[in-house]
Amino acid sequence: MQKPRFYQATLLVGLMAAGPPLAAQQAQTGSPNATAPIAGNQLPAPPMEFGGVIKNDALSSTPWWAPTIAPPEGAPNILLIITDDSGFAVPSTFGGVIPSPAMDRLASEGLSYTQIHSTALCSPTRAALITGRNHHSAGFGVISEQSTGFPGYDSIIAEDKATIGRILLDNGYATSWFGKDHNTPAFQASQAGPFDQWPQGMGFEYFYGFVGGDANQWQPNLFRNTTQIYPFNEAEGEWNLVTGMADDAIEHITNLHQISPTKPFFVKYAPGANHAPHHPTKEWVDKIEAMNLVDDGYEALRQTIFENQKKAGLVPADAGLTSWPADKIKPWDELTDIEKKLFIKQVEVFAAYAAYSDHEIGRVIQSIDDIGKLDNTLVIYINGDNGTSAEGGPLGTPNEVAFFNGMNMIPAETQMKWYDVWGTEATYNHMSAGWAWAFDTPFDWFKQNASRLGGVRQNMVVSWPDRIKDKGGRRDQFMHVIDVVPTILEVTGIAAPEMVDGIKQAPIEGTSFAYTFDAANADEPSRHKTQYFEMLGQWALYHEGWLLSTQVNRAPWEISGPANADPLNNQVLELYDLSKDMNQTTDIAENHPDKVKEMKALFVAEAKTYQVFPLDASVQARLVAPRPNITAGRTEFVYTKPMVGLPQGDSPLLLNTSYTITAEIDVPEGGAEGMILTSGGRFAGYGFYLLKGKPVFLWNMVDLERIKWEGPDALSPGKHVVEFDFKYDGLGTGTLAFNNFSGVGRGGTGTLRVDGKDVHTQEMKTTLPMILQWDESFDIGSDTLTGVNDTDYMPPFKLTATLEKLTVKVDRPELSEADKKKLAEAMLKTSD
């Protein structure tokens, strides 16, 4: 990295031993209010030699205080904002139709950037953003819920890649993180820790947000630092996380200013919007509905946005669009009236969510202005961690959990059951993929598609009034989210550390874009010359204006079934000259075979350098891959006390297996009711409970069906043993190792027993193959957040019997040698 602009060698405490005059003079004063920057090559900074005088008695001695570590003089406050699942054309700032006044404000006061790139998926982009390294280098080749046992894919940010939070913290910043944390491994998210991969462990002193990929904004799995909190339970009136986290961030920033006005802050602000579920307040839905933004359908919206972008000079006047993917997404004029009505509701709720989030971001920005610190605050507002999500499928869905379980085409007529409550706590909603295609204009395809610019091209605005004078300017240099960390380091005058906690640090892989802040460099060629992209087996390579990319062979909603066994070579390769064709409309690979060969070789070299191999095109199969969580290798789990909040990734998984749940309880006089054990919630899960004294076991099949076992009688006072036993009929997840899904989601037979007697037996024709509701927990003795069956009870539904012992036994299927041989033969035939 080049020498920082504000580097002040004369104030480096770390060089005290060499005797830099000013640092020595300042330190020797020993004043309690002395501050000084550090060299920063070693974190934490080594202790300074005592500068006072020690005699036998205190009266004859001279006290001395080491100076408090502070950044170099003039280092700005930093507000780093990144939104979720938001494509290039979502905000009004870049030609979209959704009001984005906060982003517009920053653009008018600073600079707009048209070529900042993501990784095509949530947590990989976020890992790259906070480390300054490529996502595979940071262990996040995929989301943690799909992590596998390879260095580029284990979802662990290694100790040799300190985050920007840690670097700034040790250099004297107050650091905090608000909103989405999708960088804590799913298998390390429980109260058993470890916590080194939580925000606080990664250098963010204060955390207020949710852990995981998505969250119910009405009742989120919300944490303050590492403690789960439930502010919505005590709120008077409506509560929503979008406003809740803005309120908390404003209070935090204001308190920091009041307590220590000279201490700079670094705030990472990452709202859940616009990731599903789309949960705006009714006020914002009403505002968007009144604007009639989308009444003519998604193709018309795409064209409107494209014309807006041309008028704004964001795309060339003679540019065109790729054709509509009619084989994947039905054209608007072919939809039924019910589909049109439903789809308009879906997208108006999405637009309301985006507008609502931008409004709350604006409140945070204004709070910094209110305390007089905005002029020296570097605000980086990145629109999206990937392109717009199409994970709702062509029809959208009232329940995103259904998508992850392979149910991605719920008929519109069925979905209309939720029409009047779309976006409320009754839905975990997502919109039709047709809208996502429009919101990625002028590009195509979506989140997950790393080989198309619609999946990876974001936009960004940057404001810093004290430094950026080219107000309202635009920058078109090629950039990537890995460039943010080196930019922050350069403008703060802080060096990238060589050692952190005694561990040698891997090099920063991004390139600072601070040079673009100067108007004189507005048209300077990009300093970021080469960048690979890879996600779920789809890949691309950018090099000096050229883009080699794999042809899209899987839509994001097509997640089940066999995967491409050779993603490196079994691909159709396309070539684009982005200097002449900015949105991949014309493939010129046939005309430049040597360039294709050269670019593929360069991709392979980059992939080897940055831990991209082994490539893996599987999607759904990786959701149930084994991981080193606290349940690994265990078949029996015993609990003797109520407990709530155990996340899905660290709790016994009852999918694709036989299992037995046994509860030993003592029913008081007058009877009992309440939750014995539950995992999941309103949108998928199971519950074992007493209802009006009767034992019940229930499976919630993604809110489309509920399968219920119920005892005939209420339990009498005294001790009882209630048990649910399930015999699974499938081969289990072992078939996935052979690229075969026949072992998952199969049926079975469940039996409810009371005191050793069978009281209800019935078959399940199918079971959930992949996940329960990610943001709901495994709870014993009560139910947090949402319940699995609103008709029977509402949380917390505390168990009024005494739970003496709860035992969960899991009997996972094992493949026989004959099974393995048969599956291997089938895989061989498929590959042929």
Side-chain angles (χ1 to χ4, degrees):
M1 187 178 119
Q2 67 181 29
K3 179 176 282 191
R5 179 184 304 275
F6 302 115
Y7 191 92
Q8 298 181 5
T10 56
L11 290 177
L12 298 180
V13 174
L15 299 181
M16 276 290 297
L22 184 55
Q25 292 168 15
Q26 183 180 21
Q28 286 171 359
T29 65
S31 170
N33 65 342
T35 63
I38 59 174
N41 58 309
Q42 177 183 336
L43 300 179
M48 291 183 61
E49 183 179 346
F50 181 68
V53 177
I54 298 178
K55 301 293 186 180
N56 289 343
D57 60 275
L59 292 176
S60 304
S61 302
T62 303
W64 182 91
W65 292 95
T68 298
I69 294 172
E73 185 178 354
N77 303 298
I78 301 160
L79 174 61
L80 174 60
I81 304 162
I82 184 165
T83 61
D84 206 337
D85 283 7
S86 192
F88 192 90
V90 168
S92 56
T93 318
F94 293 87
V97 299
I98 300 174
S100 311
M103 183 171 252
D104 291 344
R105 171 187 178 179
L106 295 177
S108 67
E109 296 173 352
L111 300 171
S112 300
Y113 290 80
T114 63
Q115 290 203 60
I116 181 81
H117 294 80
S118 67
T119 69
L121 201 58
C122 313
S123 50
T125 293
R126 294 160 189 270
L129 177 68
I130 62 175
T131 64
R133 282 91 170 182
N134 286 296
H135 56 304
H136 294 88
S137 295
F140 271 90
V142 287
I143 58 174
S144 180
E145 293 85 351
Q146 294 175 306
S147 57
T148 53
F150 299 101
Y153 299 89
D154 60 12
S155 73
I156 296 173
I157 297 176
E159 293 88 343
D160 65 341
K161 299 175 182 71
T163 72
I164 186 63
R166 175 62 192 277
I167 297 171
L168 294 182
L169 173 66
D170 282 8
N171 278 274
Y173 271 81
T175 59
S176 56
W177 180 333
F178 294 86
K180 179 172 176 172
D181 166 23
H182 204 186
N183 294 116
T184 296
F187 48 85
Q188 293 184 3
S190 79
Q191 291 305 296
F195 296 105
D196 59 307
Q197 297 284 305
W198 284 60
Q200 282 186 303
M202 292 190 283
F204 296 84
E205 291 178 295
Y206 180 76
F207 172 59
Y208 179 96
F210 61 94
V211 177
D214 46 16
N216 180 334
Q217 300 295 297
W218 303 108
Q219 295 166 295
N221 60 325
L222 184 63
F223 290 82
R224 176 171 280 117
N225 300 324
T226 59
T227 299
Q228 192 162 5
I229 58 175
Y230 307 90
F232 39 85
N233 287 341
E234 290 78 40
E236 294 182 6
E238 185 177 71
W239 189 96
N240 188 294
L241 179 57
V242 178
T243 297
M245 66 176 276
D247 288 345
D248 204 79
I250 291 168
E251 181 180 13
H252 180 74
I253 293 168
T254 303
N255 287 346
L256 285 175
H257 172 67
Q258 294 181 151
I259 296 167
S260 183
T262 60
K263 185 172 187 176
F265 60 77
F266 170 60
V267 173
K268 183 192 177 198
Y269 193 85
N274 299 311
H275 197 295
H278 307 146
H279 281 169
T281 62
K282 185 178 185 302
E283 172 192 0
W284 283 94
V285 175
D286 291 344
K287 286 180 180 180
I288 294 297
E289 285 182 351
M291 296 176 71
N292 299 313
L293 299 174
V294 296
D295 291 356
D296 294 329
Y298 33 60
E299 290 144 292
L301 175 62
R302 185 191 190 205
Q303 194 62 44
T304 295
I305 292 170
F306 192 50
E307 293 305 318
N308 290 346
Q309 291 170 339
K310 284 187 174 182
K311 291 175 184 176
L314 294 166
V315 297
D318 60 351
L321 291 169
T322 56
S323 59
W324 186 261
D327 59 327
K328 297 289 186 183
I329 304 170
K330 193 185 297 185
W332 189 257
D333 61 8
E334 295 180 16
L335 298 178
T336 67
D337 289 343
I338 288 178
E339 287 173 330
K340 289 179 180 179
K341 180 178 180 180
L342 174 67
F343 291 2
I344 287 174
K345 169 66 77 172
Q346 292 172 352
V347 73
E348 286 181 337
V349 170
F350 171 85
Y353 194 32
Y356 174 34
S357 178
D358 180 83
H359 169 77
E360 295 297 328
I361 288 170
R363 289 181 57 227
V364 175
I365 294 168
Q366 184 58 45
S367 73
I368 299 173
D369 201 3
D370 290 344
I371 60 175
K373 288 193 170 181
L374 192 59
D375 284 352
N376 195 35
T377 296
L378 171 65
V379 183
I380 300 174
Y381 185 165
I382 303 172
N383 169 55
D385 54 0
N386 42 246
T388 314
S389 172
E391 290 161 352
L395 301 179
T397 180
N399 183 2
E400 188 195 31
V401 185
F403 153 74
F404 285 105
N405 282 291
M407 289 170 266
N408 52 29
M409 295 293 282
I410 300 173
E413 292 76 11
T414 302
Q415 295 190 52
M416 288 298 289
K417 171 185 173 182
W418 290 276
Y419 180 86
D420 291 332
V421 293
W422 204 271
T424 71
E425 63 181 16
T427 60
Y428 215 83
N429 50 304
H430 209 318
M431 64 184 175
S432 164
W435 301 115
W437 193 280
F439 284 127
D440 287 343
T441 304
F443 313 106
D444 59 19
W445 289 93
F446 319 98
K447 170 187 178 180
Q448 294 190 29
N449 298 124
S451 62
R452 301 296 297 185
L453 292 174
V456 299
R457 177 68 65 82
Q458 315 304 141
N459 42 50
M460 172 177 74
V461 294
V462 177
S463 172
W464 184 10
D466 277 356
R467 173 71 175 80
I468 296 174
K469 302 304 181 184
D470 186 18
K471 298 186 185 303
R474 198 181 89 197
R475 301 292 186 263
D476 298 321
Q477 290 88 348
F478 182 95
M479 299 171 188
H480 191 274
V481 292
I482 61 174
D483 298 337
V484 171
V485 165
T487 301
I488 291 173
L489 293 179
E490 179 174 349
V491 301
T492 58
I494 293 172
E498 299 170 12
M499 302 284 291
V500 176
D501 295 330
I503 297 172
K504 181 176 174 57
Q505 294 296 289
I508 299 289
E509 294 164 4
T511 304
S512 171
F513 56 80
Y515 67 95
T516 67
F517 293 176
D518 295 324
N521 296 331
D523 298 320
E524 181 174 330
S526 175
R527 296 179 184 178
H528 192 134
K529 304 294 185 183
T530 304
Q531 181 62 47
Y532 81 88
F533 299 90
E534 191 281 334
M535 190 56 61
L536 304 167
Q538 300 180 48
W539 54 267
L541 191 283
Y542 169 87
H543 181 65
E544 296 185 341
W546 292 90
L547 185 71
L548 180 73
S549 56
T550 57
Q551 186 179 87
V552 176
N553 54 22
R554 180 189 63 78
W557 57 87
E558 297 167 347
I559 64 172
S560 59
N564 183 352
D566 185 8
L568 179 62
N569 299 305
N570 186 24
Q571 301 265 25
V572 176
L573 298 181
E574 301 173 342
L575 182 68
Y576 300 93
D577 181 352
L578 297 183
S579 66
K580 301 175 182 177
D581 177 20
M582 59 91 69
N583 57 344
Q584 290 177 287
T585 62
T586 306
D587 172 22
I588 56 175
E590 284 190 8
N591 301 330
H592 300 274
D594 291 341
K595 192 68 175 179
V596 170
K597 184 177 180 180
E598 171 195 336
M599 295 281 282
K600 182 178 180 182
L602 185 53
F603 170 79
V604 171
E606 295 285 288
K608 289 178 179 178
T609 299
Y610 299 118
Q611 301 187 155
V612 181
F613 293 130
L615 295 178
D616 187 347
S618 66
V619 183
Q620 198 177 41
R622 280 196 266 186
L623 291 172
V624 291
R627 297 182 183 92
N629 64 17
I630 56 179
T631 70
R634 298 171 62 187
T635 59
E636 182 172 313
F637 306 84
V638 178
Y639 310 92
T640 59
K641 296 288 185 182
M643 177 184 72
V644 297
L646 190 61
Q648 298 295 325
D650 282 311
S651 59
L653 182 64
L654 303 188
L655 303 184
N656 308 308
T657 185
S658 297
Y659 56 89
T660 303
I661 304 171
T662 304
E664 300 173 28
I665 60 175
D666 191 351
V667 177
E669 292 293 333
E673 67 174 6
M675 185 59 65
I676 298 171
L677 169 65
T678 182
S679 190
R682 179 177 292 131
F683 306 103
Y686 61 83
F688 194 13
Y689 50 93
L690 302 181
L691 182 65
K692 297 179 180 178
K694 296 180 181 180
V696 172
F697 193 90
L698 180 139
W699 266 105
N700 173 358
M701 306 295 284
V702 296
D703 204 24
L704 297 174
E705 178 187 15
R706 284 170 172 79
I707 303 170
K708 190 174 186 178
W709 292 257
E710 187 170 8
D713 303 306
L715 298 180
S716 61
K719 296 182 182 297
H720 294 277
V721 177
V722 290
E723 181 175 279
F724 183 76
D725 180 72
F726 187 79
K727 302 300 183 194
Y728 182 65
D729 292 337
L731 293 176
T733 58
T735 64
L736 298 175
F738 298 89
N739 212 5
N740 187 300
F741 282 72
S742 64
V744 300
R746 313 300 287 185
T749 302
T751 299
L752 179 65
R753 298 190 183 101
V754 177
D755 297 327
K757 180 182 177 181
D758 294 358
V759 296
H760 191 176
T761 298
Q762 67 174 321
E763 292 185 4
M764 292 179 70
K765 293 181 180 179
T766 61
T767 56
L768 297 179
M770 295 297 158
I771 67 164
L772 303 184
Q773 188 178 337
W774 273 339
D775 62 343
E776 295 267 0
S777 57
F778 180 95
D779 297 333
I780 299 168
S782 64
D783 192 354
T784 56
L785 306 185
T786 65
V788 292
N789 190 11
D790 292 345
T791 302
D792 282 354
Y793 73 93
M794 294 301 290
F797 200 42
K798 187 174 181 180
L799 181 64
T800 58
T802 299
L803 178 66
E804 296 184 341
K805 186 178 181 181
L806 177 69
T807 305
V808 179
K809 292 183 178 180
V810 179
D811 183 14
R812 300 205 175 280
E814 296 287 342
L815 295 178
S816 67
E817 291 304 315
D819 293 330
K820 294 176 183 177
K821 182 178 179 182
K822 184 177 179 180
L823 289 163
E825 290 172 350
M827 183 170 65
L828 188 61
K829 289 180 181 179
T830 302
S831 63
D832 291 341

